[in-house]
Amino acid sequence: MSYPMKIYKIRYIGLTSLLVFLYFCLPKIDLFNIPGAPTGIRTQDLISLILLFNQKTLFTLSRILKNQTIFFTILSIFTINLMGSIYFGTLFEFVLGWIRLFQYFIVGIASFHILVSNYSLFITIIFFQAIFSVMQFFKFLPVIDPGRGFLRTSEYAGTFGTAAELAYFCTILSIVLLSVRENRASFLVVLLPIFSGVRAYFLTVPFYLFARTKSLILKILFLLPFVAILIGILVYFYDLLMPFARSIQNLVLSTPPSLDNLKSIEGLEGSEDIALGQRIGKWSTALSLLTKSSAAFFGTGLYSLGGTLDGGILRMLTELGIPITLFILFNLIKIDFLLFSIFIIINLFFDGFISSVTMPIFIGFLLFKTLRINVYK
């Protein structure tokens, strides 16, 4: 590498590191509102714009899109989803959703470069989030939620909007650090959200330990107790689970297939857990759309389900359609089963694929696994 090129590489990584640090560490506060949009213009949007017009980012993006298979695949998915959004009258949300997805892709490219050249920056980001989280746990600092404002709660979230965002950011980052450099700090990343109050996070710890185990025999031995526990729960609570499943089925059948219905969800009748009841109510509307309308094929349009659905896989099936979702999942399995597993974990009870903190890291890791070009040439 020539001397000027080395200087350019250092400057690019230095600038990118600073911008990525600010992207993940500045609180998400709307600077300007967008009428009808779930979120307004934030500092993170301005950072993404700066990253987009960086010469090296544009070079990497062009090299990716020059692959005809990738280009026409994206174009096909975009076109099919556009047809769905026109049919369901969600064109405005569709445009916002694809802009957001492109933004995450740009930050993902920057994250890819950092994983290659300066991966320790992500450890610094986690350290920063840990300081904020400890202060929030003891209620010295508030949680800054874009939707609910400043909250004094022990359900800490670092500089992110919710505890779930912090939890699933740690989920994906712990596996990325483990895979990229087998970094020991990755275990500390897993432990950070343990007391944040995110119940679904219990899936992450065994998944991380499973990923860390290299021996196939040990992996199988590690899985057996969890499979046994799952079977035991299903058998022991069978008499409770079946009526519960029938109640959900009846709720889906009685729910009109309307996007407007998501705005007036009351949830599962008789549920003592309000959050669970509302989640099931939103899921029922999504399932109603899938089973009673053309959403199953075309999708209702990216971003059309509004705020949070608390189920990224179901959201993908509804917004993108079943064929596109299955196509994406199948290709993730082909690329790397660990990559596919991470995607499932962050989208099972969280809208990970439209999250501004998890999706850029996932895209960066995807590029790390698949990109076979020297981006510094």
Side-chain angles (χ1 to χ4, degrees):
M1 181 183 295
S2 66
Y3 182 75
M5 184 58 68
K6 185 179 293 186
I7 294 296
Y8 177 78
K9 175 180 175 180
I10 292 172
R11 286 178 178 174
Y12 171 75
I13 293 301
L15 175 63
T16 304
S17 296
L18 175 62
L19 291 173
V20 169
F21 178 84
L22 293 174
Y23 179 91
F24 287 111
C25 291
L26 288 177
K28 293 191 290 184
I29 300 175
D30 290 347
L31 304 175
F32 308 99
N33 292 324
I34 302 176
T39 63
I41 300 297
R42 298 170 176 171
T43 307
Q44 284 78 4
D45 300 316
L46 303 179
I47 291 171
S48 305
L49 193 62
I50 297 172
L51 286 170
L52 170 61
F53 289 103
N54 185 288
Q55 182 181 352
K56 188 56 66 174
T57 304
L58 288 173
F59 173 74
T60 307
L61 180 63
S62 66
R63 290 294 296 270
I64 294 169
L65 294 180
K66 278 182 179 178
N67 184 306
Q68 291 187 356
T69 302
I70 294 175
F71 177 79
F72 284 109
T73 297
I74 294 174
L75 183 62
S76 299
I77 292 174
F78 180 88
T79 304
I80 293 171
N81 200 226
L82 174 61
M83 294 169 64
S85 71
I86 293 173
Y87 178 82
F88 283 94
T90 60
L91 190 58
F92 176 71
E93 293 83 355
F94 167 86
V95 172
L96 285 178
W98 278 88
I99 289 175
R100 287 291 184 198
L101 201 57
F102 180 70
Q103 172 189 335
Y104 303 157
F105 195 79
I106 295 302
V107 181
I109 290 176
S111 300
F112 157 71
H113 283 282
I114 290 172
L115 287 174
V116 171
S117 303
N118 190 25
Y119 77 97
S120 60
L121 173 73
F122 288 111
I123 300 175
T124 304
I125 291 173
I126 282 295
F127 181 72
F128 187 84
Q129 296 296 339
I131 293 174
F132 260 76
S133 297
V134 171
M135 299 289 282
Q136 289 167 343
F137 182 76
F138 291 105
K139 300 183 180 179
F140 293 127
L141 287 177
V143 172
I144 305 174
D145 188 318
R148 296 177 295 169
F150 292 79
L151 307 174
R152 293 281 179 178
T153 172
S154 58
E155 294 183 357
Y156 53 89
T159 60
F160 300 145
T162 65
E165 283 187 312
L166 176 65
Y168 289 104
F169 177 76
C170 290
T171 296
I172 187 168
L173 193 56
S174 63
I175 302 299
V176 168
L177 290 175
L178 181 64
S179 301
V180 173
R181 291 291 188 277
E182 296 189 5
N183 195 283
R184 294 181 180 179
S186 60
F187 186 65
L188 299 178
V189 178
V190 172
L191 295 179
L192 177 57
I194 288 292
F195 300 107
S196 64
V198 180
R199 289 171 293 185
Y201 191 69
F202 77 91
L203 292 171
T204 294
V205 177
F207 174 64
Y208 171 84
L209 294 174
F210 177 79
R212 189 165 189 133
T213 304
K214 294 183 178 180
S215 169
L216 179 60
I217 296 176
L218 289 177
K219 284 181 182 290
I220 295 173
L221 292 175
F222 181 80
L223 280 178
L224 287 177
F226 290 99
V227 173
I229 291 172
L230 179 61
I231 294 174
I233 290 174
L234 292 175
V235 172
Y236 186 79
F237 292 102
Y238 178 81
D239 292 336
L240 293 175
L241 290 173
M242 289 308 296
F244 181 73
R246 282 193 290 269
S247 297
I248 295 176
Q249 181 183 14
N250 293 333
L251 185 60
V252 172
L253 293 174
S254 62
T255 301
S258 169
L259 288 168
D260 293 333
N261 198 47
L262 282 167
K263 301 176 183 179
S264 57
I265 289 299
E266 296 182 358
L268 187 65
E269 184 178 353
S271 174
E272 295 181 0
D273 190 321
I274 297 176
L276 178 61
Q278 291 178 339
R279 178 177 293 177
I280 291 173
K282 289 188 287 186
W283 287 357
S284 299
T285 300
L287 288 170
S288 177
L289 283 162
L290 283 172
T291 55
K292 301 175 185 178
S293 70
S294 59
F297 185 81
F298 292 103
T300 57
L302 195 62
Y303 239 46
S304 59
L305 299 188
T308 54
L309 187 68
D310 296 321
I313 298 299
L314 181 57
R315 186 172 195 129
M316 287 181 67
L317 289 167
T318 310
E319 292 187 346
L320 297 178
I322 293 176
I324 291 176
T325 301
L326 293 179
F327 174 80
I328 292 171
L329 295 179
F330 175 74
N331 279 279
L332 287 178
I333 292 177
K334 283 178 61 179
I335 293 169
D336 185 80
F337 186 74
L338 180 61
L339 195 72
F340 166 78
S341 302
I342 292 172
F343 192 78
I344 295 297
I345 290 291
I346 65 172
N347 281 288
L348 203 57
F349 299 109
F350 179 67
D351 299 340
F353 89 102
I354 62 164
S355 167
S356 61
V357 298
T358 58
M359 195 56 177
I361 299 296
F362 179 80
I363 291 172
F365 191 43
L366 173 64
L367 295 177
F368 184 86
K369 286 282 188 179
T370 58
L371 210 54
R372 296 293 183 260
I373 60 174
N374 185 350
V375 293
Y376 295 111
K377 282 185 178 179

